[in-house]
Amino acid sequence: MPLEADSFLDDESIGESCAIFGTFAPEFDVARMAFFALFSMQHRGQESSGIAVANPEWIVSHTGMGLVSHVFNEHMLRMLKGVAAIGHNRYSTTGISRIENAQPVVFDQIPGKHLALAHNGNLVNAQMLYNDLVGSGAKLSATTDSVVMAHMLQEAYSEMPIEDAILEVFPQFKGAYSAVILTNNELIAVRDPMGFRPLCLGRRGENYCVASESSAFPLLGADFVREVEPGEVIIIDKRGIRISRLPDRPDPHHCMFEYFYFSRPDSQLSGKLLYKIRIRMGRELSTEAPVPADWVIGVPDSGTPAAIGYSDASGIKFAEGFVKNRYVGRTFIEPLQVFRDLGVRIKLNPLTEVLEGKRVVLVDDSIVRGSTMKKIVRLMREVGGVTEVHVRLSSSAIRYPCYYGVDFGTRGELIAAHRTEAEICDYIGADSLHYLSIDGMVRATGIEKEKFCLACFNSEYPLKFPHQMSIHMLDESPKYALEGESNGFQSDRPTGLTD
Ligand code: SF4
């Protein structure tokens, strides 16, 4: 049965920039450690990858477009010798993926004061900082907030020790960031004062490492020590580890998306294993929206733990309803029309023998635009042969854009911003639909509600941002290069916020 041709250009995958890693480990092959850490965090960014290594004389780096395993080979890793390393996987949106924007960013003009930086998140005042830099005559090599950060840090570092430079410059950065910085002699990890993006500290013997997710550590033979605290600055060198703090002490606001979607289920956040939290989200979902059915099916892979939780709580058996092709990525699909025409079928094949004639609860983590879920529901009916599809989402409805580094487009693209639950159900062709409530989502984490950023669900933005703010503006805006011109961004953020 032919399905409608669709395009992976409307793939609803939610992007976040990015994965970071750092280690100071003179006893080990630091580039190889970075490679394996980035490999284990490939899910956080697949557009480009890079590693920089340091020793007292130089910092060298290699970056490339594509997956970690494509960017690095044995020869390359052997060339990257040093006592410390940082690494980065980048996610970027379609059309703005450029090698110049790959990280780490390296500044190596000043002897003995070389610097490399990699960053995950989004500065809400990047445009203003960029304009100030350009206005003072700076020539920047790329259009990312990471380059702005590295440039400002380099200027300060040229006049003072790195620790002082960080404490002087980082308070000027407003927004979400977890950053790793490499000098000729130190590795530094910094997490923004609100702790939007995750950052974890690990240890292998006497050597320390930091990574966006704790799940990066086992592959390195490292133990998870703890999360880097919001506002914390960790300096690691041959003398060991020192802790410093940024002066701002706002209440933490961790990104809820990490809990139900971004981070791997075997990662820990706030001392809790995400797999267990996702199971509990499924249980909450079952309590909020029970429905008679024959099977509970998860959309692989991110919907699976919540589907297991729904099954546990409801007593309806869990089954695998799809086989997923895990080797399909955007970089593979987009250039080839023959693959694009196959649409969602190239990723998911329904198990007709399991589904045929059954009433199914279909659990996924979220819906952004609704187009992918519509195709999945249709696939289940037309190929799988199900008689009923009841869609259950383990997150609340996404109604507002994110300005802190998560890319799911503008408000106009979010289906829940403009349609009721009944209208969305009708659009995707399901028999029923339910989003987990915000309270249910928070309850499943076991963490106080006040500790989360929930802005994309309830519009309560914990950090103010400029009116013209766009998560894409650094790449899309000619203003970023040509001061004084409009960036053309039509803000669709909710009213009531001021700069
Ligand atoms: S707005 Fe949403 S996606 Fe962005 S940081 Fe807050 S919870 Fe995360």
Side-chain angles (χ1 to χ4, degrees):
M1 188 271 330
L3 290 172
E4 70 183 7
D6 59 5
S7 165
F8 266 71
L9 297 178
D10 71 353
D11 184 351
E12 288 198 50
S13 58
I14 301 163
E16 186 197 30
S17 49
C18 315
I20 59 171
F21 173 78
T23 187
F24 189 97
E27 299 164 25
F28 296 109
D29 182 344
V30 291
R32 202 169 296 270
M33 286 178 74
F35 171 84
F36 283 123
L38 296 178
F39 185 72
S40 68
M41 296 188 289
Q42 188 73 82
H43 58 288
R44 297 183 74 89
Q46 296 158 24
E47 303 262 339
S48 68
S49 186
I51 294 173
V53 296
N55 69 33
E57 281 83 43
W58 66 74
I59 290 179
V60 288
S61 69
H62 176 71
T63 56
M65 302 304 292
L67 302 176
V68 180
S69 55
H70 296 163
V71 173
F72 296 98
N73 56 30
E74 185 61 34
H75 173 71
M76 190 59 65
L77 291 176
R78 284 196 183 147
M79 301 280 285
L80 292 169
K81 291 287 175 207
V83 297
I86 61 173
H88 186 266
N89 288 339
R90 181 165 196 260
Y91 174 90
S92 72
T93 53
T94 305
I96 55 174
S97 177
R98 306 181 189 131
I99 187 64
E100 309 90 72
N101 289 342
Q103 299 184 40
V105 180
V106 178
F107 283 83
D108 57 3
Q109 290 85 12
I110 306 172
K113 291 249 176 178
H114 295 178
L115 183 101
L117 178 143
H119 154 246
N120 168 211
N122 193 59
L123 298 188
V124 297
N125 65 339
Q127 182 76 64
M128 191 196 79
L129 296 171
Y130 176 87
N131 290 346
D132 288 349
L133 282 175
V134 171
S136 63
K139 300 260 186 291
L140 301 192
S141 59
T143 57
T144 63
D145 45 6
S146 311
V147 170
V148 171
M149 295 168 82
H151 192 96
M152 290 175 65
L153 189 58
Q154 168 74 20
E155 281 188 348
Y157 182 42
S158 66
E159 296 172 358
M160 62 187 81
I162 189 66
E163 194 170 333
D164 296 344
I166 284 171
L167 294 179
E168 177 165 308
V169 167
F170 269 71
Q172 298 175 55
F173 301 150
K174 304 301 177 198
Y177 58 81
S178 286
V180 281
I181 297 137
L182 199 58
T183 71
N184 294 110
N185 301 298
E186 297 114 338
L187 166 73
I188 302 106
V190 191
R191 191 174 180 197
D192 76 73
M194 286 191 171
F196 281 102
R197 307 264 75 84
L199 192 59
C200 299
L201 179 68
R203 184 172 180 159
R204 182 180 174 187
E206 296 304 307
N207 301 281
Y208 288 94
C209 47
V210 288
S212 294
E213 292 189 33
S214 63
S215 57
F217 296 141
L219 198 56
L220 311 179
D223 296 321
F224 172 52
V225 177
R226 64 174 174 84
E227 280 188 64
V228 177
E229 290 175 18
E232 196 173 23
V233 179
I234 296 184
I235 304 114
I236 305 165
D237 61 16
K238 63 184 178 190
R239 290 174 290 169
I241 188 166
R242 302 193 297 288
I243 307 294
S244 193
R245 287 203 160 271
L246 298 176
D248 279 5
R249 299 284 180 100
D251 293 332
H253 284 85
H254 307 308
C255 171
M256 178 56 91
F257 256 79
E258 297 286 350
Y259 287 78
F260 69 81
Y261 177 72
F262 285 133
S263 291
R264 276 174 41 162
D266 53 343
S267 285
Q268 287 189 46
L269 284 177
S270 306
K272 294 161 196 285
L273 184 69
L274 293 181
Y275 181 77
K276 289 187 177 172
I277 286 178
R278 290 172 192 177
I279 295 259
R280 286 200 293 272
M281 286 173 169
R283 289 194 182 124
E284 292 283 345
L285 204 45
S286 168
T287 307
E288 286 187 7
V291 63
D294 301 304
W295 292 123
V296 179
I297 305 276
V299 176
D301 296 309
S302 53
T304 301
I308 292 170
Y310 193 104
S311 167
D312 279 354
S314 66
I316 304 168
K317 282 188 180 153
F318 170 82
E320 293 202 54
F322 297 99
V323 174
K324 180 180 180 181
N325 186 329
R326 292 182 170 77
Y327 306 99
V328 177
R330 288 173 70 182
T331 48
F332 175 65
I333 290 293
E334 282 176 7
L336 298 168
Q337 185 65 39
V338 64
F339 287 137
R340 290 167 59 181
D341 288 345
L342 286 170
V344 76
R345 282 214 72 177
I346 198 168
K347 279 186 180 172
L348 297 177
N349 192 36
L351 281 163
T352 306
E353 294 74 8
V354 174
L355 298 173
E356 195 153 36
K358 303 295 185 193
R359 300 166 300 165
V360 166
V361 177
L362 179 67
V363 182
D364 202 357
D365 53 84
S366 54
I367 292 180
V368 182
R369 289 189 288 276
S371 52
T372 300
M373 182 55 83
K374 183 183 175 81
K375 288 164 194 161
I376 293 173
V377 171
R378 188 175 171 195
L379 195 61
M380 292 188 84
R381 288 195 196 282
E382 298 186 355
V383 180
V386 300
T387 56
E388 294 176 23
V389 188
H390 301 276
V391 174
R392 300 291 182 267
L393 287 317
S394 62
S395 73
S396 298
I398 305 163
R399 296 196 165 93
Y400 305 94
C402 173
Y403 298 95
Y404 310 132
V406 176
D407 170 30
F408 34 66
T410 62
R411 192 156 188 235
E413 295 173 276
L414 299 172
I415 191 168
H418 307 288
R419 298 195 197 205
T420 64
E421 208 164 281
E423 288 169 339
I424 298 168
C425 182
D426 194 42
Y427 172 74
I428 64 174
D431 292 283
S432 72
L433 169 74
H434 182 78
Y435 291 93
L436 185 57
S437 66
I438 290 178
D439 284 346
M441 199 166 54
V442 171
R443 208 165 31 245
T445 67
I447 299 164
E448 301 94 299
K449 190 174 183 180
E450 296 67 36
K451 292 199 171 154
F452 285 108
C453 172
L454 298 162
C456 51
F457 309 109
N458 63 10
S459 85
E460 292 174 15
Y461 290 85
L463 187 68
K464 292 171 183 171
F465 47 83
H467 274 291
Q468 76 279 18
M469 184 72 206
S470 159
I471 55 172
H472 301 270
M473 70 179 179
L474 301 186
D475 285 286
E476 290 180 349
S477 166
K479 183 182 176 187
Y480 206 60
L482 301 171
E483 195 180 359
E485 291 186 13
S486 165
N487 68 10
F489 172 66
Q490 302 297 309
S491 174
D492 59 359
R493 68 184 180 76
T495 54
L497 297 164
T498 55
D499 293 356

